Amino acid sequence: MLASLDLQALSKVLYSAVLSDVLDSLGYTEQAMRPFIRPLDDDTVAFGPARTGLFMPRHGHLEGENPYDIEIELIDDLRPGDVPVFACGGPIETITPWGELLTTAAVARGAVGFVTDGLVRDVRSIRKMNFPVFHGGIRPLDSAGRSKMMVRDTRVKCAGVTIEPGDLIFADIDGVVVLPSAVAAEAVEKALLKIEGENTTRKEILEGKKLADIYEKYGIL
């Protein structure tokens, strides 16, 4: 079912609030990331399957060690449409796993966005690329010697939400919502129906009808 969804077309129609509402109705009430996660550019939207990476704090690194090895493997393995999600235990002040060069590499691989509860840097350059980045803060630190991705494509918890590889990530100015793969197709279908109902409600409000009467009729607010 997920493979049949045109996520990029849907990203122009859906929004995080309606997806959160629908997930609530399906019993998934903890799918919106904590509010400290913000977009670098308010107009960007990301919608795609998660490729997860788990970061841990480090204090220095071993001589001869590549501090970026697993991170590089994940980026080089991205598929078109993917959204890398780096879980750093945020909010945090010292883990900055994302910058200009990783953004450039992700764009080259066809990724459609990035999410982290850690920090990002090289903001001016990333904004020029118009690549959707959702972050837990901005700071010019290098991750080397301060943190390391320990494992990739595994279950993680990012900004309060548990994410399995392949779960769908939807991110916009209102926040980041995680659609578990088991219910993602159903959630999208219900969200589209809810949007139709909201459009009808809006139309009748603008026609001068009372909100109480409209809500009684459609049950949408």
Short mmCIF file of all heavy atoms in Angstrom, two decimals, residues 137-176:
data_model
loop_
_atom_site.label_atom_id
_atom_site.label_comp_id
_atom_site.label_asym_id
_atom_site.label_seq_id
_atom_site.Cartn_x
_atom_site.Cartn_y
_atom_site.Cartn_z
N GLY A 137 18.08 22.79 17.11
CA GLY A 137 18.89 23.93 17.46
C GLY A 137 20.01 24.14 16.46
O GLY A 137 20.25 23.29 15.59
N ILE A 138 20.68 25.26 16.57
CA ILE A 138 21.75 25.64 15.64
C ILE A 138 23.00 25.98 16.45
O ILE A 138 22.93 26.77 17.41
CB ILE A 138 21.33 26.84 14.78
CG1 ILE A 138 20.08 26.50 13.95
CG2 ILE A 138 22.48 27.29 13.87
CD1 ILE A 138 19.45 27.70 13.29
N ARG A 139 24.12 25.38 16.06
CA ARG A 139 25.39 25.67 16.74
C ARG A 139 26.52 25.23 15.82
O ARG A 139 26.40 24.19 15.15
CB ARG A 139 25.47 24.93 18.07
CG ARG A 139 26.45 25.54 19.06
CD ARG A 139 26.39 24.85 20.40
NE ARG A 139 27.29 25.50 21.35
CZ ARG A 139 27.62 24.99 22.53
NH1 ARG A 139 27.12 23.83 22.92
NH2 ARG A 139 28.45 25.64 23.32
N PRO A 140 27.65 25.94 15.78
CA PRO A 140 28.68 25.66 14.78
C PRO A 140 29.68 24.58 15.18
O PRO A 140 30.80 24.57 14.66
CB PRO A 140 29.37 27.02 14.62
CG PRO A 140 29.27 27.64 15.97
CD PRO A 140 27.93 27.23 16.49
N LEU A 141 29.31 23.65 16.04
CA LEU A 141 30.23 22.62 16.50
C LEU A 141 30.39 21.50 15.48
O LEU A 141 29.45 21.14 14.77
CB LEU A 141 29.73 22.01 17.81
CG LEU A 141 29.58 22.94 19.01
CD1 LEU A 141 28.97 22.17 20.18
CD2 LEU A 141 30.92 23.54 19.40
N ASP A 142 31.57 20.90 15.46
CA ASP A 142 31.79 19.65 14.73
C ASP A 142 31.33 18.50 15.62
O ASP A 142 31.50 18.55 16.84
CB ASP A 142 33.28 19.50 14.40
CG ASP A 142 33.56 18.36 13.44
OD1 ASP A 142 32.62 17.58 13.12
OD2 ASP A 142 34.72 18.22 13.01
N SER A 143 30.75 17.47 15.02
CA SER A 143 30.32 16.31 15.81
C SER A 143 31.51 15.43 16.22
O SER A 143 31.44 14.73 17.24
CB SER A 143 29.30 15.48 15.04
OG SER A 143 29.86 14.98 13.83
N ALA A 144 32.58 15.46 15.45
CA ALA A 144 33.74 14.61 15.75
C ALA A 144 34.30 14.94 17.13
O ALA A 144 34.53 16.10 17.47
CB ALA A 144 34.81 14.81 14.70
N GLY A 145 34.49 13.90 17.93
CA GLY A 145 35.00 14.08 19.28
C GLY A 145 33.93 14.41 20.29
O GLY A 145 34.20 14.40 21.50
N ARG A 146 32.73 14.70 19.83
CA ARG A 146 31.62 15.03 20.73
C ARG A 146 30.49 14.00 20.64
O ARG A 146 29.72 13.84 21.59
CB ARG A 146 31.06 16.41 20.42
CG ARG A 146 32.05 17.55 20.65
CD ARG A 146 31.39 18.90 20.41
NE ARG A 146 32.28 19.99 20.74
CZ ARG A 146 33.12 20.55 19.86
NH1 ARG A 146 33.15 20.12 18.59
NH2 ARG A 146 33.91 21.55 20.23
N SER A 147 30.37 13.34 19.50
CA SER A 147 29.31 12.36 19.32
C SER A 147 29.68 11.45 18.15
O SER A 147 30.59 11.74 17.38
CB SER A 147 27.97 13.05 19.02
OG SER A 147 28.03 13.76 17.78
N LYS A 148 28.94 10.34 18.04
CA LYS A 148 29.16 9.43 16.93
C LYS A 148 27.87 8.65 16.67
O LYS A 148 27.18 8.26 17.63
CB LYS A 148 30.29 8.45 17.24
CG LYS A 148 30.57 7.43 16.12
CD LYS A 148 31.78 6.58 16.48
CE LYS A 148 31.95 5.41 15.52
NZ LYS A 148 32.10 5.83 14.11
N MET A 149 27.55 8.44 15.40
CA MET A 149 26.46 7.54 15.07
C MET A 149 26.93 6.12 15.37
O MET A 149 27.92 5.66 14.82
CB MET A 149 26.03 7.67 13.61
CG MET A 149 24.80 6.81 13.27
SD MET A 149 24.35 6.84 11.51
CE MET A 149 23.71 8.49 11.35
N MET A 150 26.19 5.43 16.23
CA MET A 150 26.59 4.10 16.67
C MET A 150 25.94 2.99 15.86
O MET A 150 26.49 1.89 15.74
CB MET A 150 26.26 3.92 18.15
CG MET A 150 26.82 5.01 19.06
SD MET A 150 28.62 5.23 18.88
CE MET A 150 29.21 3.69 19.55
N VAL A 151 24.75 3.26 15.33
CA VAL A 151 24.03 2.24 14.55
C VAL A 151 23.06 2.96 13.63
O VAL A 151 22.58 4.06 13.93
CB VAL A 151 23.30 1.25 15.50
CG1 VAL A 151 22.25 1.96 16.32
CG2 VAL A 151 22.69 0.09 14.73
N ARG A 152 22.78 2.36 12.51
CA ARG A 152 21.83 2.96 11.56
C ARG A 152 20.73 1.98 11.22
O ARG A 152 20.83 0.78 11.44
CB ARG A 152 22.55 3.38 10.27
CG ARG A 152 23.10 2.24 9.42
CD ARG A 152 23.80 2.81 8.19
NE ARG A 152 24.40 1.80 7.33
CZ ARG A 152 23.83 1.31 6.23
NH1 ARG A 152 22.61 1.70 5.89
NH2 ARG A 152 24.45 0.42 5.48
N ASP A 153 19.64 2.54 10.67
CA ASP A 153 18.48 1.73 10.26
C ASP A 153 18.01 0.83 11.39
O ASP A 153 17.87 -0.39 11.23
CB ASP A 153 18.81 0.93 8.99
CG ASP A 153 19.07 1.83 7.80
OD1 ASP A 153 18.25 2.74 7.57
OD2 ASP A 153 20.09 1.64 7.12
N THR A 154 17.75 1.45 12.53
CA THR A 154 17.29 0.76 13.72
C THR A 154 16.18 1.56 14.37
O THR A 154 15.99 2.74 14.03
CB THR A 154 18.46 0.56 14.71
OG1 THR A 154 18.03 -0.29 15.78
CG2 THR A 154 18.92 1.89 15.28
N ARG A 155 15.47 0.96 15.30
CA ARG A 155 14.46 1.72 16.05
C ARG A 155 15.15 2.80 16.87
O ARG A 155 16.16 2.53 17.55
CB ARG A 155 13.69 0.79 16.97
CG ARG A 155 12.66 1.52 17.83
CD ARG A 155 12.06 0.60 18.87
NE ARG A 155 11.27 -0.45 18.23
CZ ARG A 155 10.68 -1.44 18.92
NH1 ARG A 155 10.81 -1.51 20.23
NH2 ARG A 155 9.98 -2.35 18.26
N VAL A 156 14.61 4.01 16.81
CA VAL A 156 15.15 5.12 17.59
C VAL A 156 14.00 5.88 18.23
O VAL A 156 12.84 5.72 17.87
CB VAL A 156 15.98 6.10 16.73
CG1 VAL A 156 17.17 5.39 16.09
CG2 VAL A 156 15.11 6.78 15.67
N LYS A 157 14.36 6.73 19.19
CA LYS A 157 13.41 7.68 19.74
C LYS A 157 13.95 9.07 19.49
O LYS A 157 15.05 9.41 19.94
CB LYS A 157 13.21 7.45 21.24
CG LYS A 157 12.00 8.20 21.80
CD LYS A 157 11.61 7.67 23.17
CE LYS A 157 10.30 8.27 23.64
NZ LYS A 157 9.86 7.69 24.93
N CYS A 158 13.20 9.87 18.74
CA CYS A 158 13.64 11.20 18.35
C CYS A 158 12.60 12.22 18.80
O CYS A 158 11.43 12.12 18.40
CB CYS A 158 13.83 11.26 16.83
SG CYS A 158 14.49 12.83 16.22
N ALA A 159 13.02 13.15 19.65
CA ALA A 159 12.12 14.20 20.15
C ALA A 159 10.83 13.63 20.70
O ALA A 159 9.74 14.16 20.49
CB ALA A 159 11.83 15.23 19.06
N GLY A 160 10.94 12.50 21.40
CA GLY A 160 9.81 11.92 22.10
C GLY A 160 9.01 10.89 21.33
O GLY A 160 8.07 10.31 21.89
N VAL A 161 9.33 10.65 20.06
CA VAL A 161 8.56 9.72 19.24
C VAL A 161 9.43 8.53 18.84
O VAL A 161 10.55 8.71 18.35
CB VAL A 161 8.00 10.40 17.98
CG1 VAL A 161 7.18 9.41 17.16
CG2 VAL A 161 7.16 11.61 18.35
N THR A 162 8.91 7.33 19.02
CA THR A 162 9.61 6.13 18.58
C THR A 162 9.42 5.96 17.08
O THR A 162 8.29 6.06 16.58
CB THR A 162 9.08 4.90 19.32
OG1 THR A 162 9.30 5.07 20.73
CG2 THR A 162 9.78 3.63 18.86
N ILE A 163 10.51 5.69 16.38
CA ILE A 163 10.48 5.59 14.92
C ILE A 163 11.16 4.31 14.49
O ILE A 163 12.28 4.00 14.93
CB ILE A 163 11.22 6.78 14.28
CG1 ILE A 163 10.63 8.10 14.77
CG2 ILE A 163 11.15 6.71 12.75
CD1 ILE A 163 11.49 9.30 14.43
N GLU A 164 10.49 3.55 13.64
CA GLU A 164 11.07 2.38 13.00
C GLU A 164 11.50 2.77 11.59
O GLU A 164 10.85 3.60 10.95
CB GLU A 164 10.05 1.25 12.90
CG GLU A 164 9.54 0.72 14.23
CD GLU A 164 10.48 -0.29 14.86
OE1 GLU A 164 11.53 -0.57 14.25
OE2 GLU A 164 10.14 -0.79 15.95
N PRO A 165 12.59 2.21 11.08
CA PRO A 165 12.95 2.46 9.68
C PRO A 165 11.77 2.15 8.77
O PRO A 165 11.12 1.12 8.91
CB PRO A 165 14.12 1.51 9.44
CG PRO A 165 14.70 1.27 10.79
CD PRO A 165 13.54 1.29 11.74
N GLY A 166 11.49 3.06 7.86
CA GLY A 166 10.37 2.87 6.94
C GLY A 166 9.08 3.54 7.38
O GLY A 166 8.16 3.70 6.57
N ASP A 167 8.97 3.93 8.66
CA ASP A 167 7.83 4.77 9.05
C ASP A 167 7.87 6.06 8.24
O ASP A 167 8.94 6.54 7.88
CB ASP A 167 7.89 5.11 10.53
CG ASP A 167 7.57 3.94 11.45
OD1 ASP A 167 7.10 2.90 10.94
OD2 ASP A 167 7.80 4.07 12.67
N LEU A 168 6.71 6.62 7.96
CA LEU A 168 6.67 7.85 7.17
C LEU A 168 6.82 9.07 8.07
O LEU A 168 6.19 9.17 9.12
CB LEU A 168 5.36 7.95 6.39
CG LEU A 168 5.16 6.94 5.25
CD1 LEU A 168 3.88 7.27 4.47
CD2 LEU A 168 6.35 6.93 4.31
N ILE A 169 7.65 10.00 7.62
CA ILE A 169 7.87 11.26 8.31
C ILE A 169 7.18 12.36 7.52
O ILE A 169 7.40 12.50 6.31
CB ILE A 169 9.38 11.58 8.39
CG1 ILE A 169 10.15 10.45 9.07
CG2 ILE A 169 9.60 12.92 9.10
CD1 ILE A 169 9.81 10.23 10.52
N PHE A 170 6.33 13.13 8.20
CA PHE A 170 5.76 14.32 7.58
C PHE A 170 6.16 15.51 8.45
O PHE A 170 5.87 15.55 9.65
CB PHE A 170 4.24 14.25 7.47
CG PHE A 170 3.67 15.37 6.63
CD1 PHE A 170 3.39 15.16 5.29
CD2 PHE A 170 3.47 16.63 7.16
CE1 PHE A 170 2.90 16.20 4.50
CE2 PHE A 170 3.00 17.67 6.38
CZ PHE A 170 2.71 17.45 5.05
N ALA A 171 6.79 16.49 7.83
CA ALA A 171 7.30 17.65 8.57
C ALA A 171 6.94 18.94 7.85
O ALA A 171 7.18 19.05 6.64
CB ALA A 171 8.81 17.54 8.74
N ASP A 172 6.37 19.88 8.59
CA ASP A 172 6.11 21.20 8.04
C ASP A 172 6.24 22.22 9.16
O ASP A 172 6.77 21.91 10.24
CB ASP A 172 4.73 21.26 7.35
CG ASP A 172 3.56 21.02 8.28
OD1 ASP A 172 3.73 21.08 9.52
OD2 ASP A 172 2.44 20.78 7.78
N ILE A 173 5.78 23.43 8.94
CA ILE A 173 5.99 24.51 9.91
C ILE A 173 5.36 24.21 11.27
O ILE A 173 5.83 24.69 12.31
CB ILE A 173 5.48 25.85 9.35
CG1 ILE A 173 5.89 27.02 10.26
CG2 ILE A 173 3.98 25.80 9.12
CD1 ILE A 173 5.58 28.37 9.70
N ASP A 174 4.30 23.40 11.30
CA ASP A 174 3.64 23.09 12.57
C ASP A 174 4.35 22.00 13.37
O ASP A 174 4.06 21.83 14.56
CB ASP A 174 2.19 22.67 12.33
CG ASP A 174 1.28 23.84 12.01
OD1 ASP A 174 1.66 24.99 12.32
OD2 ASP A 174 0.20 23.62 11.45
N GLY A 175 5.24 21.25 12.73
CA GLY A 175 5.95 20.21 13.46
C GLY A 175 6.19 18.97 12.63
O GLY A 175 5.95 18.95 11.42
N VAL A 176 6.67 17.93 13.32
CA VAL A 176 7.02 16.67 12.67
C VAL A 176 6.14 15.56 13.21
O VAL A 176 6.05 15.37 14.43
CB VAL A 176 8.50 16.32 12.90
CG1 VAL A 176 8.85 15.00 12.20
CG2 VAL A 176 9.41 17.44 12.42
#
